Amino acid sequence: MSQTGILKKVCPLNSLITGLLLSAGLSFFYYFGILISYNYLPESILFLISLTLICSLIFWINIKYDRMFDVVDVFSKTISFDFKFSQPGFVRLLKLLRPVDPYAGLLGTLSGLLLVLWALPALIIYLAIHPDPPGKLLNIIVFFMCGGTGILYFISDRDSFSSVADKVMFFTGILLGSLGAVKIF
């Protein structure tokens, strides 16, 4: 049997393993992240919101004033006719923030995602069952979030699952992985 034939026979098993690992890993990520956000609810939400806003503000300022940096540099080097030209303190401060721009954009995006993926479900659980522990509702939310993320992965990588058996095995892996992880918790 050729190697291509062997790979085609193993492919549904690869889809099952992909679904299992994806859903089990996401279950742990969602469960512990939401649990930490739930236990430290006001602090975690305020921290993630403030981090997202600060990073977005740095990113926005750098984009907004990037052209101003270039104009001031060109003016000071070419058109100033040897006048002593000093840049305003604000421009010098913004030049210090310029190298931080990619990291601020990345950190702002990550904190915004964690706000949506962890803090929002923790807030929903808190509002739904405030005095009780979050056990069963947390497991239900984690199960549905893992299923939804698995479906989004399937939609984005549809070419990897060419046959019906691949698709069935992937979704079986998603369901088994998230159910198994929820059962462990």
Side-chain angles (χ1 to χ4, degrees):
M1 184 174 273
S2 69
Q3 191 156 353
T4 311
I6 293 171
L7 287 176
K8 285 185 179 180
K9 283 187 174 184
V10 177
C11 201
L13 185 60
N14 286 342
S15 298
L16 177 71
I17 291 171
T18 302
L20 279 171
L21 292 177
L22 179 73
S23 64
L26 285 173
S27 294
F28 286 112
F29 175 74
Y30 288 142
Y31 183 83
F32 290 114
I34 292 171
L35 189 63
I36 289 170
S37 293
Y38 180 80
N39 289 336
Y40 302 105
L41 191 64
E43 296 91 1
S44 66
I45 289 178
L46 290 176
F47 175 73
L48 287 173
I49 287 174
S50 61
L51 188 63
T52 304
L53 289 177
I54 288 170
C55 291
S56 298
L57 182 67
I58 290 171
F59 190 71
W60 176 78
I61 286 173
N62 279 327
I63 287 175
K64 179 120 173 101
Y65 293 102
D66 193 35
R67 186 170 181 275
M68 184 188 73
F69 293 142
D70 295 337
V71 170
V72 168
D73 284 342
V74 168
F75 178 75
S76 66
K77 291 177 183 171
T78 58
I79 311 173
S80 64
F81 300 114
D82 294 330
F83 290 120
K84 298 284 186 192
F85 179 76
S86 65
Q87 295 178 343
F90 181 69
V91 172
R92 281 183 261 147
L93 175 68
L94 290 177
K95 276 192 173 186
L96 290 175
L97 292 176
R98 201 173 194 182
V100 178
D101 190 40
Y103 304 110
L106 177 69
L107 188 62
T109 303
L110 286 177
S111 61
L113 281 173
L114 291 179
L115 181 71
V116 170
L117 294 176
W118 287 355
L120 189 63
L123 186 63
I124 291 169
I125 291 171
Y126 181 80
L127 293 174
I129 57 162
H130 169 55
D132 297 333
K136 206 168 230 2
L137 187 59
L138 179 61
N139 289 341
I140 292 169
I141 286 178
V142 166
F143 176 75
F144 282 115
M145 286 180 71
C146 286
T149 308
I151 290 170
L152 288 176
Y153 177 78
F154 174 76
I155 291 170
S156 69
D157 196 20
R158 201 175 281 203
D159 297 336
S160 296
F161 310 105
S162 56
S163 69
V164 175
D166 288 338
K167 295 173 185 172
V168 169
M169 292 301 274
F170 176 74
F171 284 115
T172 303
I174 290 288
L175 291 175
L176 289 176
S178 51
L179 281 176
V182 165
K183 189 70 173 172
I184 290 172
F185 304 133

